[in-house]
Amino acid sequence: MASRQTYDQEVVFIHRQKKNVTHTKLQKQAVRVWVPLQITELKTRTVFMYLFLSNGGERVEPITVSLPLSDDMSCDVMDYTCEALFQDGKDEKERIRLMMQHSGVKNFSVDVDHIPPSTYTVTGLNPSSFENDKHPFTDQSRDTKLDQETSSIEKGLQKLVLSSKPEKQRTEHPEKVQKKGTPCSSLVFLKDIDTNGISLFSTMNSEMTFPFQLCPITDYELVVFRGKETKKCCFRVQAVAQCLFKSYMTQVEIDELHKRAVGHTLSTAVLPSFYPVKYLYRNKPLLHFLHIFTNTKGIMFKYIKNFGGDPASTLNRKLHGLFFSANVDPKTGDPPPVSYYGDQRIHIPVSFMITPDTNLYFADFYCHNIKHKVTLVVTLKGSKADEFCSARLKSLNQSYNEFLYRSPDSTDAMVNTRVTVEVFYTESIDIGKLLESRIAYFTTVQSEGNPFLKTLLGRPKREGCKTCNLK
């Protein structure tokens, strides 16, 4: 694979009429992007950020950096080095590790909270080590209106305003106002790993929401620099954070995934093989069910969905429910004799779970080895889970669809055995009453693997499969 084209960028450091010229390698970009330069003052181990706009071609004019030196820093401009972040192919985790090792920069943790389908908020921008950094005009948390005044981003990132515009001081005697230092803020760098495009944001809040919709099913890298702006476009770094995340599928991608799942079941010369099922079943260890009867009065409470299946599933860590399986052997009609989730299997009538009062949705299509799996979601009509799914998933006809359907006048359902059908039921179930009424029953099966680890983390889909991966 050929290396990416680079060009030599001249950087001129200016301080008190003294100049120092250095060079750094930058990757050519197809579009105009903001490029961050890391500037390190060697004696005091202070890290600055300098931002400039690159058109991706051979630059005729040099980048001129006027360094705002404070009293605790060296006045010798020769003691500075510069480096382009994200441009030379180095591993960003290694960059941050070296930055922390060779400078006074600390680290902290941030997270990206997702509100499906397309809202992403960076949280944790104010770490505990900066709790004493009060805003100079108010000790209260800043509201959304004020946050909009502290940063400005134009379309195409043609402009980035880092300077804060705080509220006016409410005082009758301005001369009596105590002078305070520059407030801390955060520079947020969002990198699209597929295109290497970088978007920059500035905020003084503890969180910020991206002002545009991210590309679905895309890997993003987030790097946050916490510190103070000492001069326009110059930023003194005090701490750094980093995280990776994947953006989620929208209904457009869910619809495409559904088409692939349907096409997969029709890929052979014969029609899909449907088989009648009377029960949906759930496998768990014996201790799991003993806990239910001892501590929750026989109620099997729903829990939040893990990261199993497609990593870009909009259900991950957002919707609560209980997983059941409709998987049967196409020759015998019986469930598999081996379970990877525990040695106890509870069987609950499909007529109890899929009723005229429920809705059915297609949610996921994935595989781990050879046989593909389909995830369907069952919700009570009008519930919060139903509202969640109706805006994000594909609605299916409960009386007939390509995977699992049940006629209202039948106690059985028909399941497509060409795929493994999983059902995510979004309500808690009183299995004590069902067992007492002999509506549900238990069987013991052979167990393999670690059921607790599978339930806690979930197993992501196989990345190399071209059948069920949209990207």
Side-chain angles (χ1 to χ4, degrees):
M1 182 176 179
S3 59
R4 302 186 65 176
Q5 289 184 315
T6 62
Y7 65 95
D8 182 80
Q9 175 62 59
E10 180 179 324
V11 183
V12 179
F13 293 87
I14 300 178
H15 174 65
R16 296 180 183 178
Q17 308 303 319
K18 297 172 65 176
K19 292 186 178 181
N20 178 39
V21 179
T22 186
H23 296 266
T24 185
K25 292 290 185 182
L26 299 179
Q27 288 183 355
K28 292 183 179 180
Q29 301 288 341
V31 295
R32 291 162 58 90
V33 296
W34 283 94
V35 179
L37 283 180
Q38 173 184 309
I39 302 172
T40 305
E41 200 279 330
L42 301 181
K43 288 186 178 180
T44 62
R45 299 190 303 172
T46 300
V47 178
F48 282 80
M49 295 297 299
Y50 179 79
L51 311 177
F52 72 98
L53 194 63
S54 170
N55 60 9
E58 300 287 350
R59 291 184 63 92
V60 179
E61 299 295 331
I63 300 172
T64 303
V65 182
S66 299
L67 293 171
L69 302 182
S70 57
D71 295 336
D72 62 336
M73 298 177 64
S74 169
C75 62
D76 186 357
V77 75
M78 300 296 294
D79 288 329
Y80 284 86
T81 61
C82 76
E83 188 173 20
L85 292 181
F86 311 125
Q87 300 298 315
D88 60 2
K90 289 185 179 179
D91 182 76
E92 275 76 22
K93 291 184 178 180
E94 179 66 14
R95 284 189 164 285
I96 292 178
R97 188 189 68 80
L98 293 175
M99 179 188 296
M100 294 167 52
Q101 180 178 349
H102 299 294
S103 69
V105 174
K106 302 176 182 178
N107 72 326
F108 63 100
S109 298
V110 293
D111 194 12
V112 178
D113 184 37
H114 170 233
I115 302 177
S118 59
T119 301
Y120 295 82
T121 301
V122 186
T123 58
L125 294 176
N126 287 334
S128 57
S129 57
F130 295 99
E131 287 180 352
N132 295 327
D133 288 329
K134 301 294 186 180
H135 187 269
F137 303 106
T138 176
D139 290 339
Q140 300 178 355
S141 60
R142 303 168 63 82
D143 58 19
T144 305
K145 180 179 179 181
L146 187 56
D147 181 57
Q148 293 174 348
E149 295 176 346
T150 60
S151 63
S152 174
I153 300 172
E154 294 184 359
K155 184 178 180 181
L157 289 179
Q158 299 300 306
K159 178 182 179 182
L160 177 68
V161 178
L162 299 179
S163 300
S164 62
K165 298 178 181 179
E167 293 176 330
K168 295 182 180 180
Q169 303 177 45
R170 299 179 180 179
T171 175
E172 297 178 358
H173 304 284
E175 67 277 2
K176 294 183 180 181
V177 177
Q178 184 179 359
K179 185 177 180 180
K180 299 183 180 181
T182 304
C184 283
S185 59
S186 297
L187 295 184
V188 180
F189 290 71
L190 179 68
K191 178 182 178 181
D192 184 329
I193 295 181
D194 291 342
T195 64
N196 284 328
I198 301 175
S199 303
L200 309 184
F201 310 91
S202 174
T203 182
M204 297 170 67
N205 280 358
S206 60
E207 63 180 40
M208 65 153 291
T209 301
F210 297 121
F212 54 83
Q213 182 173 340
L214 303 187
C215 295
I217 320 179
T218 300
D219 291 314
Y220 285 94
E221 180 173 17
L222 190 72
V223 179
V224 179
F225 294 96
R226 175 77 176 164
K228 296 183 179 182
E229 183 186 10
T230 59
K231 191 177 182 179
K232 187 176 182 180
C233 289
C234 285
F235 189 82
R236 184 170 183 174
V237 179
Q238 297 177 333
V240 63
Q242 180 189 44
C243 73
L244 299 172
F245 69 97
K246 182 185 291 288
S247 55
Y248 291 80
M249 291 184 284
T250 65
Q251 279 186 309
V252 174
E253 286 71 41
I254 291 292
D255 187 64
E256 175 61 28
L257 205 61
H258 173 262
K259 291 178 181 178
R260 292 199 178 199
V262 172
H264 176 72
T265 64
L266 299 173
S267 59
T268 59
V270 296
L271 293 176
S273 177
F274 281 90
Y275 202 97
V277 292
K278 189 178 294 289
Y279 295 90
L280 300 180
Y281 60 90
R282 176 174 170 82
N283 301 307
K284 283 294 177 181
L286 176 61
L287 290 177
H288 173 82
F289 290 107
L290 290 177
H291 169 77
I292 291 176
F293 294 121
T294 304
N295 300 313
T296 64
K297 298 181 180 180
I299 299 177
M300 186 162 54
F301 284 104
K302 57 186 179 180
Y303 58 90
I304 194 165
K305 184 189 176 299
N306 58 24
F307 289 99
D310 198 310
S313 172
T314 191
L315 304 183
N316 292 345
R317 306 300 298 175
K318 291 300 175 184
L319 191 65
H320 290 73
L322 297 166
F323 266 112
F324 289 82
S325 179
N327 185 35
V328 295
D329 188 316
K331 296 181 179 179
T332 65
D334 296 327
V338 177
S339 165
Y340 297 97
Y341 297 93
D343 60 347
Q344 296 299 308
R345 177 176 290 168
I346 186 169
H347 304 254
I348 298 180
V350 67
S351 59
F352 172 84
M353 306 182 71
I354 300 179
T355 72
D357 295 325
T358 62
N359 283 325
L360 185 66
Y361 297 92
F362 171 87
D364 203 356
F365 176 51
Y366 66 99
C367 72
H368 294 142
N369 297 306
I370 299 176
K371 191 171 184 180
H372 279 76
K373 299 182 179 181
V374 166
T375 300
L376 307 180
V377 180
V378 175
T379 64
L380 287 183
K381 291 181 179 180
S383 65
K384 290 184 178 180
D386 190 47
E387 295 176 359
F388 179 97
C389 293
S390 64
R392 296 162 179 86
L393 303 180
K394 180 175 180 59
S395 178
L396 298 179
N397 186 344
Q398 288 188 153
S399 299
Y400 180 77
N401 61 76
E402 296 83 357
F403 310 110
L404 178 71
Y405 65 90
R406 173 183 173 256
S407 300
D409 56 349
S410 174
T411 58
D412 295 348
M414 301 298 293
V415 63
N416 190 337
T417 58
R418 295 293 172 87
V419 291
T420 298
V421 177
E422 298 176 328
V423 176
F424 193 61
Y425 187 73
T426 59
E427 298 295 324
S428 300
I429 302 177
D430 190 340
I431 61 174
K433 286 186 178 180
L434 294 180
L435 293 169
E436 184 179 353
S437 304
R438 297 186 179 182
I439 296 175
Y441 68 94
F442 275 106
T443 57
T444 301
V445 296
Q446 180 183 345
S447 178
E448 294 183 2
N450 187 334
F452 296 102
L453 188 60
K454 292 178 183 293
T455 301
L456 180 63
L457 301 178
R459 187 180 176 188
K461 72 192 304 182
R462 184 162 59 98
E463 293 184 358
C465 180
K466 296 181 179 181
T467 301
C468 59
N469 281 280
L470 296 181
K471 294 185 68 173

